[in-house]
Amino acid sequence: MTVHHRDILGRFYRALQTANVSELNALLDPKFVLKAAAGMPNGLGGVYTGRMAALQDFWGRVAQQFDVKALPVEFSMVEGRDVFVTGQYVGVSRVTGRSFTADFIHRIHIQGDSLTRLTQFTDTFQWNAAANPILVERADASS
């Protein structure tokens, strides 16, 4: 991975961790596409097309529901402009107060100085267990 890619990704994850919207605006391409993992709680999973959709409709809603940080651990370059980032989400549900840790893989496409696409893979069970522990208790009771 190039120094340029590492710099852009470092800025991106710091901006996510500090909710620095102006920095995210600078880093995300206007046509940025975010594919959030199916099964995310409260209908958060799905495709968000456009920088503002990702910022408001996904990350904005996540921030309303969770106090969570994406903590990257490893970066691996694939196919020239794509980077796989592995790490963990560490957070707490603002509704239930339950904490959680969920592994993630982000596949990020970088073009020039911008992120153009992010595909999220994460342990949605952990997110859902924090957001709605009754669902988890029901699943445990039925098994």
Side-chain angles (χ1 to χ4, degrees):
M1 183 167 63
T2 70
V3 171
H4 178 71
H5 287 104
R6 189 169 296 279
D7 176 60
I8 289 172
L9 291 169
R11 289 173 50 207
F12 172 68
Y13 283 101
R14 280 190 301 278
L16 279 180
Q17 291 167 6
T18 60
N20 185 336
V21 175
S22 62
E23 179 74 347
L24 289 168
N25 268 319
L27 290 167
L28 302 179
D29 186 84
K31 296 179 182 176
F32 177 77
V33 176
L34 169 64
K35 184 176 180 187
M40 285 289 286
N42 304 316
L44 287 167
V47 178
Y48 299 83
T49 303
R51 173 177 54 210
M52 294 314 296
L55 289 171
Q56 294 173 354
D57 300 336
F58 181 73
W59 284 309
R61 289 177 53 213
V62 167
Q64 289 173 348
Q65 298 173 37
F66 298 93
D67 179 8
V68 62
K69 304 285 187 240
L71 305 174
V73 174
E74 187 175 342
F75 301 86
S76 302
M77 192 82 173
V78 292
E79 298 180 17
R81 292 187 183 146
D82 284 9
V83 179
F84 279 107
V85 181
T86 59
Q88 288 190 319
Y89 292 112
V90 177
V92 62
S93 167
R94 294 185 191 278
V95 175
T96 67
R98 288 184 60 136
S99 61
F100 72 99
T101 301
D103 292 335
F104 72 75
I105 299 172
H106 292 160
R107 182 174 185 161
I108 299 174
H109 185 83
I110 299 171
Q111 190 162 343
D113 292 334
S114 298
L115 280 70
T116 60
R117 184 176 58 247
L118 184 151
T119 303
Q120 174 202 50
F121 304 91
T122 187
D123 183 352
T124 58
F125 179 84
Q126 300 304 325
W127 287 81
N128 282 289
N132 191 349
I134 293 171
L135 293 176
V136 176
E137 291 168 10
R138 287 184 184 156
D140 289 344
S142 67
S143 56

